[in-house]
Amino acid sequence: MSSNLFLILITTALINNVVLSQFLGICPFLGVSRNVKTAAGMGGAVIFVITIASAVSSLLYTYVLEKFNLTYLKTIAFIMVIAFLVQLVELFLKKASPSLYKALGVFLPLITTNCAVLGVALTNVQSEYNFLTSVISGFGTAVGFCIAIVIMAGVRERTELNDFPESFKGTPAVLMTACLMSIAFYGFSALSAIA
């Protein structure tokens, strides 16, 4: 059981990375990855939201939606849970770290509509994960997002002052970096053969 949970954690974080393999959550990944501190803050917020949303969504689906035959409302119910959690994160950051709150700007409320957050909740239900497996899956996915955005921010900080050809400056350089990161993370797929 614990080895299965560890495998799910590694798979969701590295092998099926939500950003680099599934291409979900690209907007904050590209928009907030200008510096490492802001990227780490966004990663922390996403870890909190996805992990708690996975837990609450699992309970909501199992004990309310399935029990009362309302499974067709799962998308709306999950979006409401995610919106509530993002509001909590916003209020916390506004009080605890105003500079990070300001740096994240519009991307913080966009976690509500981040397809990665909703995608995890729906994938957990579709995969028929129990509560613990849903939480581990959500946490692994969020850690994978955090790893990807922090690496991207680190690369962007180091290459910002490099001498690129004019046609590669800005967005093309960022997209090429994301492409190379995706190829690098593809190498983790060999881990699934070992397990």
Side-chain angles (χ1 to χ4, degrees), residues 1-146:
M1 173 85 178
S2 63
S3 62
N4 188 34
L5 293 176
F6 181 73
L7 183 63
I8 288 172
L9 181 70
I10 295 300
T11 301
T12 54
L14 300 176
I15 299 169
N16 293 327
N17 186 284
V18 70
V19 177
L20 301 173
S21 295
Q22 299 176 18
F23 307 111
L24 299 174
I26 297 291
C27 180
F29 174 71
L30 296 176
V32 182
S33 61
R34 295 189 189 279
N35 70 52
V36 173
K37 185 177 178 184
T38 306
M42 174 59 95
V46 168
I47 287 173
F48 174 80
V49 171
I50 289 182
T51 304
I52 302 301
S54 296
V56 173
S57 298
S58 176
L59 294 172
L60 180 67
Y61 186 80
T62 303
Y63 296 109
V64 177
L65 299 178
E66 271 189 333
K67 187 173 185 178
F68 295 107
N69 216 11
L70 299 170
T71 54
Y72 60 91
L73 293 174
K74 67 182 175 239
T75 304
I76 295 169
F78 295 167
I79 288 172
M80 290 173 51
V81 166
I82 293 164
F84 174 74
L85 291 170
V86 170
Q87 288 300 311
L88 285 179
V89 170
E90 257 192 288
L91 290 172
F92 174 76
L93 286 179
K94 196 173 194 177
K95 295 288 183 193
S97 181
S99 60
L100 179 59
Y101 175 78
K102 189 177 259 188
L104 292 175
V106 70
F107 292 101
L108 188 57
L110 281 178
I111 295 175
T112 304
T113 57
N114 186 340
C115 53
V117 182
L118 181 60
V120 172
L122 293 173
T123 300
N124 289 343
V125 167
Q126 185 180 17
S127 300
E128 297 180 359
Y129 287 159
N130 62 25
F131 175 76
L132 182 59
T133 308
S134 294
V135 172
I136 296 297
S137 172
F139 179 73
T141 301
V143 167
F145 178 88
C146 188

Side-chain angles (χ1 to χ4, degrees), residues 112-187:
T112 304
T113 57
N114 186 340
C115 53
V117 182
L118 181 60
V120 172
L122 293 173
T123 300
N124 289 343
V125 167
Q126 185 180 17
S127 300
E128 297 180 359
Y129 287 159
N130 62 25
F131 175 76
L132 182 59
T133 308
S134 294
V135 172
I136 296 297
S137 172
F139 179 73
T141 301
V143 167
F145 178 88
C146 188
I147 290 169
I149 197 169
V150 168
I151 291 173
M152 173 62 98
V155 170
R156 285 180 77 173
E157 279 185 356
R158 292 186 58 94
T159 60
E160 189 173 301
L161 301 176
N162 287 358
D163 189 26
F164 282 110
E166 194 62 37
S167 60
F168 278 107
K169 287 185 178 176
T171 304
V174 172
L175 293 176
M176 287 295 288
T177 302
C179 177
L180 293 172
M181 285 176 60
S182 182
I183 292 169
F185 268 67
Y186 181 73

